[in-house]
Amino acid sequence: MTQAEAAAHVPALEAHWGGGASPFGATWQKTMMWIFIVTDGLLFSGLLCGYGFVRHVSPVPWPHQSEVFSIPFIALMTFILITSSMTMGTAVTAARLGDRRRAINNLIFTIVGGFSFLACQAYEWTHLIREGARLTGNPWGPPQFTQSFFILTGFHGSHVFSGLVILIITVIRAAMGKTPAQGVELAGLYWHFVDLVWVFIFTLFYLL
Amino acid sequence: MDATGNPYRIYRVTWIILLIITVAMLASESFHLPRIFLIVFLLAFMMVKASMIGGNFMHLRYERPSLAVMVAAGILVTSLILYSFISREFRHIVERLSN
């Protein structure tokens, strides 16, 4: 296509484009955070698809999760993460309404929740490793079982850890009056994403 | 802000519903449902939980539909493509077609 022909197509394209300068109606920071979340979601999507595949093709029967894990303990971890998402949402709204004290308090509750979750995960890993769980094998059957477990929960745990680092920086900056409401909102989006991923891991790995 | 004027209420309500759903999912095994019903039940509740977190906590319900579509369709479609590529059935189809 020549330049003249390309130029002739421009008005036609513009006529169909209704998004204007901001098709998502969000600031560039928020749009970039959403694009990051989608790409990070694809990472976990790939990991969960891989898990589904290795489980499907495993020649050895997959162990029953309740015989390996303490499901009430996993439920406690889920409770902690859901609660921390609730406090994070409250912090975001408080920051938007200019209630700095409430925002900081709820950010601190969220950080406590995040550390509690990581502590539970560290306990769970230690317990299973002591029982013989390794990346190369385990006492319950197919080695893919513990491979999936360590990779899925390890990646998720690393996201919780990086979320905590972001939250600690956000709360320090908020206390100094340097974080705008949007900064809290972006940190919140990442934290809720971590919670969202856990919903899938909890159901697909621990319950199904 | 919800109808009561309390901007924080939505988070508490969402939190309670998420907890109730989680308890229902945990209790589902004790009902000894057929495996296929259990799977459908758990997957349906998983999607409800994911929608509530995305809609209420991540505020997708207040954003433009284009953003929600970009997020949901992007992840769902790519997950399906990923799974179809790595699944055994897909490999069998490819092998059958190539023979």
Side-chain angles (χ1 to χ4, degrees):
Chain A
M1 189 185 284
T2 64
Q3 264 190 331
E5 283 171 335
H9 279 263
V10 171
L13 286 172
E14 280 176 352
H16 291 93
W17 173 249
S22 178
F24 296 127
T27 59
W28 68 265
Q29 294 97 329
K30 199 167 160 181
T31 306
M32 290 307 292
M33 177 52 95
W34 270 112
I35 290 171
F36 168 71
I37 284 172
V38 170
T39 54
D40 214 16
L42 294 179
L43 165 80
F44 280 101
S45 162
L47 290 176
L48 285 167
C49 287
Y51 150 70
F53 177 64
V54 295
R55 183 172 172 174
H56 183 64
V57 299
S58 171
V60 185
W62 205 256
H64 201 272
Q65 290 93 330
S66 60
E67 290 166 9
V68 181
F69 306 109
S70 165
I71 298 298
F73 186 72
I74 307 301
L76 172 71
M77 290 169 70
T78 307
F79 169 77
I80 290 170
L81 214 51
I82 291 174
T83 307
S84 75
S85 249
M86 189 262 289
T87 54
M88 187 71 234
T90 307
V92 170
T93 300
R96 198 182 282 172
L97 295 174
D99 190 345
R100 204 170 82 174
R101 192 172 170 183
R102 190 193 279 256
I104 290 171
N105 285 344
N106 278 282
L107 279 171
I108 291 169
F109 287 141
T110 310
I111 291 169
V112 171
F115 273 116
S116 307
F117 180 85
L118 277 187
C120 289
Q121 199 169 42
Y123 174 79
E124 189 195 19
W125 273 45
T126 312
H127 177 71
L128 287 176
I129 289 168
R130 278 192 187 142
E131 288 193 356
R134 301 284 185 276
L135 271 174
T136 50
N138 62 77
W140 306 287
Q144 294 92 329
F145 174 68
T146 38
Q147 284 166 5
S148 305
F149 166 74
F150 284 124
I151 290 171
L152 281 171
T153 59
F155 264 93
H156 180 261
S158 68
H159 277 70
V160 174
F161 180 76
S162 49
L164 279 172
V165 172
I166 293 167
L167 286 179
I168 290 168
I169 293 169
T170 305
V171 79
I172 291 170
R173 286 177 57 85
M176 293 162 72
K178 287 183 177 175
T179 297
Q182 187 180 239
V184 180
E185 187 184 6
L186 297 181
L189 278 176
Y190 185 76
W191 191 257
H192 295 312
F193 168 70
V194 167
D195 185 21
L196 187 64
V197 169
W198 183 253
V199 167
F200 286 88
I201 293 176
F202 174 67
T203 311
L204 299 175
F205 188 80
Y206 288 102
L207 295 184
L208 276 179
Chain B
M1 196 177 292
D2 68 355
T4 61
N6 182 349
Y8 307 107
R9 189 170 176 269
I10 183 118
Y11 302 116
R12 288 174 205 151
V13 171
T14 307
W15 175 64
I16 289 167
I17 295 172
L18 288 174
L19 290 183
I20 291 169
I21 292 175
T22 304
V23 170
M25 289 169 85
L26 289 166
S28 62
E29 278 213 5
S30 57
F31 294 131
H32 302 293
L33 294 167
R35 179 81 179 153
I36 186 71
F37 287 139
L38 184 70
I39 290 171
V40 171
F41 177 80
L42 289 175
L43 291 181
F45 270 161
M46 179 185 79
M47 293 313 292
V48 171
K49 282 173 79 175
S51 307
M52 292 196 78
I53 291 170
N56 295 344
F57 283 160
M58 299 173 95
H59 297 160
L60 267 181
R61 59 187 284 196
Y62 308 115
E63 303 287 354
R64 280 196 190 167
S66 55
L67 184 62
V69 168
M70 188 265 290
V71 173
I75 292 178
L76 282 176
V77 170
T78 317
S79 302
L80 287 173
I81 292 169
L82 268 172
Y83 192 76
S84 66
F85 267 108
I86 62 174
S87 73
R88 191 163 59 172
E89 282 74 12
F90 185 82
R91 255 195 279 154
H92 284 173
I93 292 167
V94 172
E95 279 166 12
R96 220 176 297 152
L97 287 174
S98 57
N99 288 333

